[in-house]
Amino acid sequence: VNVLILGESGVGKEVIANMLHDLSNRREKPFIIVDCGSTPAGLLESELFGHVKGSFTHAIRDKKGLIEMANQGTLFLDEIGNVSSEMQMRLLRFLEDHKIRRIGDTQEISVNCRVIAATNTNLLEDIRAGEFREDLYYRLRVVTLNIPPLRERSEDIPGFVKYFVETFCSNKDIPLVEILPETIRTICEYPWPGNVRELRNTLEAAVALCPDGVLRPKDIRLPSVLEMDTEEEVSESPFSLEESERQTNIRALKE
């Protein structure tokens, strides 16, 4: 069935979508990712549905869309809350009859794929504001998975730390870094506004910079109290997640 994954930026929605695919009977078929948030609205229709030669300027050959490429597999629509109202209608029609029509074509193509969608926005608020179709919402959320932010599941952090450090050491072909218990405590006490993504990036920097193969609390580059206060003020704005990642990048550049 279709699945809607909800959660803040960085909690691992794409990882979970990939896991759902790998555990399904479609695992041997394609897992196609569509980043609805970064693809310009004018290009998203062509990317999703494809087009035929000559249907518009620069359409010099037939192009198969990502939905068609996901046939028999899984289509992952990331940041579904960012698609336009016109695209919402086209997606709804596809979910209802599992058929698509390339831009400029008159023939419909049947596609059998499982749809997983994800968003970090509150779609119910968007529905009330008239920005998201209620019928599309119910088509997407046959099953809903709410992924809590990392600050609400701090018991998972030690496992993440061990996994990421082992992965980084293996990828960089260096001896396994020792993690002190006080380092784990320091990491668990931080709220991680950027969630698992911020934790992963912070640990990658710490592994690269720790001087003697031992990960100490001072090697974990966390923001100062002043910076955290600034981020809490920024969090009231609608761009808090982007601002949090921006502040993380600035801290890394300063280091």
Side-chain angles (χ1 to χ4, degrees):
V1 297
N2 297 338
V3 177
L4 179 62
I5 304 175
L6 306 175
E8 294 180 3
S9 179
V11 295
K13 298 186 290 294
E14 183 178 326
V15 174
I16 291 171
N18 210 327
M19 181 185 296
L20 290 173
H21 173 75
D22 289 342
L23 294 175
S24 74
N25 57 6
R26 298 177 183 265
R27 66 180 68 87
E28 302 299 329
K29 302 300 182 180
F31 176 73
I32 303 297
I33 301 172
V34 182
D35 190 343
C36 302
S38 65
T39 306
L43 295 178
L44 186 58
E45 183 179 20
S46 175
E47 287 293 306
L48 279 173
F49 296 92
H51 60 255
V52 297
K53 179 180 178 180
S55 56
F56 55 86
T57 305
H58 304 308
I60 59 176
R61 63 177 64 89
D62 290 354
K63 177 184 177 181
K64 182 184 292 188
L66 294 176
I67 293 177
E68 190 177 349
M69 292 171 62
N71 191 36
Q72 302 302 318
T74 301
L75 179 71
F76 177 49
L77 301 172
D78 197 13
E79 301 307 339
I80 187 67
N82 292 334
V83 299
S84 66
S85 57
E86 294 81 6
M87 187 57 61
Q88 290 177 36
M89 173 60 77
R90 291 211 62 179
L91 286 172
L92 177 63
R93 288 175 178 169
F94 163 66
L95 292 173
E96 287 177 342
D97 58 21
H98 299 283
K99 293 180 180 179
I100 63 170
R101 188 170 64 245
R102 295 179 181 178
I103 298 174
D105 201 355
T106 59
Q107 302 295 320
E108 289 190 327
I109 304 169
S110 295
V111 177
N112 175 9
C113 70
R114 192 254 196 102
V115 176
I116 301 176
T119 183
N120 59 14
T121 63
N122 189 326
L123 291 183
L124 291 178
E125 289 185 359
D126 291 344
I127 290 172
R128 286 192 286 269
E131 297 174 355
F132 199 84
R133 294 183 62 95
E134 186 174 11
D135 44 6
L136 176 59
Y137 171 73
Y138 288 116
R139 282 286 184 180
L140 293 171
R141 56 144 285 180
V142 179
V143 171
T144 303
L145 298 179
N146 286 284
I147 312 305
L150 194 55
R151 62 184 173 273
E152 294 180 7
R153 47 184 174 126
S154 57
E155 68 277 5
D156 291 344
I157 291 179
F160 279 128
V161 172
K162 182 175 183 293
Y163 170 75
F164 286 136
V165 169
E166 289 178 352
T167 300
F168 296 146
C169 291
S170 175
N171 291 344
K172 293 173 172 39
D173 196 25
I174 60 176
L176 183 61
V177 170
E178 179 186 355
I179 310 169
L180 298 181
E182 53 265 35
T183 305
I184 294 290
R185 286 196 295 271
T186 299
I187 294 173
C188 290
E189 290 170 356
Y190 179 66
W192 298 107
N195 292 296
V196 182
R197 182 185 295 122
E198 182 186 4
L199 174 63
R200 181 192 64 197
N201 294 340
T202 300
L203 288 171
E204 186 171 18
V207 168
L209 298 174
C210 67
D212 53 2
V214 179
L215 204 58
R216 297 178 171 85
K218 66 179 181 180
D219 298 318
I220 307 298
R221 304 302 204 270
L222 297 177
S224 65
V225 174
L226 179 61
E227 287 175 315
M228 290 181 65
D229 289 342
T230 302
E231 288 181 4
E232 288 176 0
E233 294 174 4
V234 171
S235 67
E236 296 178 0
S237 79
F239 303 103
S240 59
L241 294 172
E242 291 83 353
E243 180 64 20
S244 173
E245 290 190 2
R246 190 179 76 87
Q247 293 294 337
T248 301
N249 290 334
I250 290 174
R251 290 196 300 271
L253 289 169
K254 286 180 178 178
E255 291 295 339

